[in-house]
Amino acid sequence: MTQWLHMSHMLPFLPDQTINNLYPPTTFPIEVRHFLAEWIESQRWYETHRDTHSCSYSNYAHREDFTLENVEQESQARVLFDQAISTLQTIAQQNSSVVDRMKLMQISKKLVVLDIQNTRQTMHQLQEELNWEKHNCEAFQGDSHTHTHTTRNALRERRPLGKRPSPAQWPRQNDGRNPEEKRFQLLKECVDCLDQCQSRFISRLKLWRWEQHKATIGHPFDDNLNPLQTWCEQLLGVNGKLRQELMLIGEPIPELQERLRQLLQVLIQSSLVVEKQPPQVIKTQSKFSTTVRYLLGEKIAPGKPVVLKAQIINESQARNQGSIPGKCFLSSDTVGELLNNTAILEHNTASKNTCATFRNMSIKKIKRADRKGTESVTEEKFALLFSTEITITGCDTPYRIQMISLPLVVIVHGSQDNNALATIIWDCAFCEPDRVPFVVPEYVPWRMMYSTLNSKFTSEVQTKHHLDKCNQHFLAQKIFDKPDYNGDFSNMMVSWAQFNKEVLPGRMFTFWQWFEGAMELTKKHLKTYWSEKLIFGFIGKQHLHLILKDKPNGTFLLRFSDSEIGGITIAYVSTTDNGGLKIQNIQPFAKRDLEIRSLGDRIRDISEITHLYPNRPKHDVFQKFY
């Protein structure tokens, strides 16, 4: 790679036109030179005929002095071309960068299609030359006395007949195929390659949606759709070129035509994406917004505007939607009334995005299904279905396209918000990819439950300080009601009922309601304290006594209340009447208390506490909060 390293240092100082001349984007992109640097510089070019590397493979077909001698050179060029494509695809599959992987696969598709076009042009040129020969031979035979001298001179001047290839002598590969056979095989290989690349694209798009779903519980998510849009547009372009090549053959090839038609339909119908999801807990009569993006927006045929319609569907309809391709619930059989439920797909020339934004949508009313047993209204899941009819430039028929949002819960009162959120958390955390809407497991291992709680807590509070092992253990003791258990909870199964249906022993609230209260309090009033590790957090009384029992009078720590929702309390060491030590707990401070006076000032006010556990003087630690 020495040559390329040297060249890459020079590139920033070269004019753009010079770079484009060196590395033409359509035939030899600079990315190919970069990724194939090692392969290119490892070839034994000095053993190759000078014309083999002074001309590209595709140029051989167009050289006026093409003779049988060039066939061997053409074969050498073909071998090198195939090796380059194969190496490029291998590098693409092994590349850890999704963007680089996409770019390399797109380039290798493009190069093979270019090869097909060159093969067609070769066949066309050779056929014209054979027609010319046939015409002149017929003229020669028909009027040998009049035209013999003229025709012979013309043929002699243009090219010796002995060197002109006949159909049987058309350039062949090592396997003996003529251009027509090669063209068909290349077309089939190209369709196979397009199929594979489109499958990878759709898998990547599904992964994007999956990551968008997981972002609800705090998982990292890159919402940039531009690379996927570029990939999608290039797939459409390659499909169009291959369909064009099939038409130019002159004879129908039903198998390839049908495959390309199906690939086109799947691509067009898969390119509608809910870029900005609606809220997953929606209160009736309240406004909300959502944005839907079409990745092939620049390819929409001009004419009448494309209007997207939104409907609300229940779980049963969502399942039917998945099982009947192309079916849209554009009927009067609806489960809810949506206001402002249409929007136009609008193209932004600056960003090159085509989006429909529903800005003031509202659920006017909702029709619920019959509930089973103890099922609550906050456990019922709905979704928004977006649909429209679209025509793509170059396609004869319009396509019905549709996409559903992530599941959402509809509530009628703010008091239902917490329980509705629990339904969404469970759904986002524990659903499987490509599930039947909106199926979730009834039980999950504690390790998955804890991972979800930790991820949600840190993302909501916007902190890098995670829940530690002590917090984890106490949360497990709490949800399983095992305050004396000191073993490993990891593989114990947690049920949905334990999470947010059954109240905790001796309390009037569920585990999720209690956990969510502590999370909200931290998010709104204690973020900095938590991030600087000044709050111990979730800890049981047994563990509390264990770590404080040998500490001096005035040692304290901050923990979340286990008897109230959304409270933080101070546990500290104090002296008894007979001179001994005991653990005291101050009445928890709730949101309303901390709005009146901050936690730092309250700590300063309490003279009985002097050192934050394990032994940090409180004024040194909390002075900046006073």
Side-chain angles (χ1 to χ4, degrees), residues 3-256:
Q3 295 176 13
W4 174 243
L5 288 174
H6 177 69
M7 187 65 187
S8 61
H9 290 309
M10 297 172 58
L11 290 176
F13 306 101
L14 296 177
D16 291 346
Q17 186 58 46
T18 302
I19 295 175
N20 287 336
N21 291 338
L22 286 169
Y23 308 105
T26 56
T27 56
F28 190 64
I30 193 170
E31 293 90 350
V32 173
R33 181 62 180 94
H34 170 72
F35 286 105
L36 289 183
E38 186 174 348
W39 179 84
I40 290 172
E41 295 178 27
S42 68
Q43 300 305 307
R44 303 172 70 175
W45 299 108
Y46 59 85
E47 293 183 357
T48 309
H49 190 283
R50 62 182 179 85
D51 284 340
T52 306
H53 57 271
S54 65
C55 302
S56 68
Y57 162 72
S58 58
N59 286 339
Y60 274 90
H62 300 89
R63 288 173 60 91
E64 192 63 28
D65 59 345
F66 191 93
T67 65
L68 293 179
E69 180 184 353
N70 295 121
V71 173
E72 181 180 354
Q73 298 167 19
E74 188 269 351
S75 297
Q76 291 176 323
R78 158 55 56 186
V79 170
L80 289 170
F81 179 80
D82 289 343
Q83 287 178 357
I85 292 295
S86 177
T87 304
L88 202 60
Q89 291 175 341
T90 300
I91 293 172
Q93 293 168 358
Q94 296 174 348
N95 198 297
S96 59
S97 167
V98 173
V99 176
D100 286 345
R101 195 159 60 239
M102 288 162 48
K103 186 176 293 184
L104 288 169
M105 290 306 299
Q106 290 158 10
I107 290 170
S108 67
K109 286 203 312 297
K110 282 184 176 179
L111 292 178
V112 175
V113 171
L114 183 64
D115 193 23
I116 291 175
Q117 293 171 331
N118 288 332
T119 302
R120 168 173 50 79
Q121 292 164 3
T122 302
M123 292 172 64
H124 182 72
Q125 182 175 342
L126 288 173
Q127 186 61 56
E128 287 182 339
E129 291 182 354
L130 286 170
N131 291 341
W132 184 89
E133 293 287 357
K134 181 180 179 182
H135 169 75
N136 282 283
C137 286
E138 288 174 350
F140 174 77
Q141 293 170 356
D143 196 356
S144 59
H145 296 291
T146 306
H147 301 288
T148 296
H149 183 70
T150 304
T151 304
R152 282 177 177 172
N153 285 342
L155 293 174
R156 192 177 296 115
E157 289 174 7
R158 191 181 191 284
R159 186 182 295 172
L161 283 176
K163 291 189 177 182
R164 185 175 302 282
S166 67
Q169 295 171 327
W170 280 2
R172 294 174 179 270
Q173 292 181 273
N174 294 334
D175 58 5
R177 292 178 297 168
N178 63 35
E180 187 174 357
E181 294 171 324
K182 186 185 95 173
R183 186 179 177 192
F184 172 78
Q185 185 60 32
L186 280 174
L187 276 168
K188 185 178 182 305
E189 290 173 3
C190 255
V191 174
D192 290 340
C193 183
L194 178 65
D195 196 344
Q196 294 169 10
C197 199
Q198 184 165 310
S199 296
R200 282 192 287 270
F201 163 75
I202 291 175
S203 296
R204 184 65 189 87
L205 190 57
K206 286 181 178 179
L207 179 61
W208 187 93
R209 293 189 182 112
W210 176 252
E211 290 171 347
Q212 184 189 44
H213 196 182
K214 291 296 182 180
T216 304
I217 54 172
H219 285 208
F221 171 54
D222 180 2
D223 63 355
N224 182 15
L225 277 169
N226 292 340
L228 284 170
Q229 177 171 310
T230 301
W231 193 351
C232 187
E233 291 170 344
Q234 292 183 343
L235 286 170
L236 180 68
V238 171
N239 191 300
K241 288 179 180 178
L242 290 176
R243 284 185 287 121
Q244 186 179 58
E245 290 299 320
L246 282 173
M247 286 189 288
L248 289 171
I249 284 179
E251 297 181 7
I253 306 178
E255 176 196 353
L256 296 185

Side-chain angles (χ1 to χ4, degrees), residues 195-366:
D195 196 344
Q196 294 169 10
C197 199
Q198 184 165 310
S199 296
R200 282 192 287 270
F201 163 75
I202 291 175
S203 296
R204 184 65 189 87
L205 190 57
K206 286 181 178 179
L207 179 61
W208 187 93
R209 293 189 182 112
W210 176 252
E211 290 171 347
Q212 184 189 44
H213 196 182
K214 291 296 182 180
T216 304
I217 54 172
H219 285 208
F221 171 54
D222 180 2
D223 63 355
N224 182 15
L225 277 169
N226 292 340
L228 284 170
Q229 177 171 310
T230 301
W231 193 351
C232 187
E233 291 170 344
Q234 292 183 343
L235 286 170
L236 180 68
V238 171
N239 191 300
K241 288 179 180 178
L242 290 176
R243 284 185 287 121
Q244 186 179 58
E245 290 299 320
L246 282 173
M247 286 189 288
L248 289 171
I249 284 179
E251 297 181 7
I253 306 178
E255 176 196 353
L256 296 185
Q257 290 169 329
E258 178 60 20
R259 285 184 65 192
L260 285 174
R261 187 196 68 78
Q262 291 180 356
L263 286 171
L264 178 65
Q265 179 177 343
V266 169
L267 183 66
I268 290 173
Q269 293 182 331
S270 300
S271 300
L272 194 65
V273 183
V274 185
E275 184 173 33
K276 178 191 173 188
Q277 292 286 341
Q280 288 190 265
V281 177
I282 300 177
K283 184 176 176 290
T284 55
Q285 311 296 334
S286 62
K287 293 181 181 180
F288 63 93
S289 65
T290 182
T291 301
V292 180
R293 178 168 166 180
Y294 191 57
L295 300 182
L296 292 174
E298 288 196 321
K299 311 301 179 182
I300 295 175
K304 69 176 185 178
V306 178
V307 179
L308 233 68
K309 182 174 181 179
Q311 292 174 279
I312 189 164
I313 59 175
N314 60 23
E315 191 166 329
S316 175
Q317 289 174 322
R319 291 179 186 180
N320 291 334
Q321 141 86 11
S323 62
I324 307 175
K327 180 177 179 180
C328 290
F329 292 94
L330 298 173
S331 68
S332 57
D333 184 21
T334 179
V335 298
E337 184 178 344
L338 277 176
L339 298 180
N340 303 317
N341 68 328
T342 60
I344 297 173
L345 270 178
E346 296 178 310
H347 183 69
N348 185 314
T349 53
S351 65
K352 297 185 178 181
N353 296 343
T354 303
C355 298
T357 300
F358 300 79
R359 291 182 175 84
N360 295 296
M361 201 182 294
S362 176
I363 300 176
K364 186 176 180 181
K365 62 181 180 181
I366 194 74

